[in-house]
Amino acid sequence: MNRKIIAPCEVAVRDVIPVIKMIIVERLYSQGLSQLQIASLMGISSAEVNYYLKGKRGNEEEKKKLEEDEEFMDLVNAVVRKLIRSTDGEIINICPLCSLARKKLKKNDYSCPYDI
């Protein structure tokens, strides 16, 4: 028998989260935040922010598909607003955003407690 143990987040971290981060980074950048400010808000390096802005991380096709979805972008905009208003050390949970992205990209072949 060929069995496999996998957490739902393993696939999401590889396939979905980079696309979500790419969209969030671009939204923050379009609002006039510097790469250093974005890195600080998101808890990532400024080099990683730069990679997202240059399209070196995340899937461009999937990004376009998600950006065309009003429901998804409403949730992204809520997360962006929350990030901008957040205080130092506040954790912003993007699990619901990941769940919705997986649904929209038809990558929900594994279950997650946040699936809508």
Side-chain angles (χ1 to χ4, degrees), residues 4-68:
K4 195 174 186 181
I5 296 175
I6 188 165
C9 296
E10 284 182 73
V11 177
V13 165
R14 185 186 64 236
D15 298 338
V16 180
I17 301 295
V19 177
I20 293 170
K21 284 185 174 182
M22 181 187 223
I23 294 169
I24 291 172
V25 164
E26 288 179 359
R27 288 304 241 214
L28 291 168
Y29 193 71
S30 73
Q31 292 190 22
L33 277 72
S34 71
Q35 291 185 32
L36 194 56
Q37 289 171 312
I38 295 168
S40 177
L41 278 177
M42 293 183 66
I44 59 178
S45 71
S46 54
E48 190 172 353
V49 170
N50 190 271
Y51 291 150
Y52 285 120
L53 290 172
K54 289 187 174 182
K56 293 182 178 181
R57 292 219 174 124
N59 180 303
E60 198 65 43
E61 253 180 64
E62 291 179 347
K63 176 182 161 270
K64 281 183 179 181
K65 185 173 183 177
L66 289 173
E67 286 178 326
E68 291 171 356

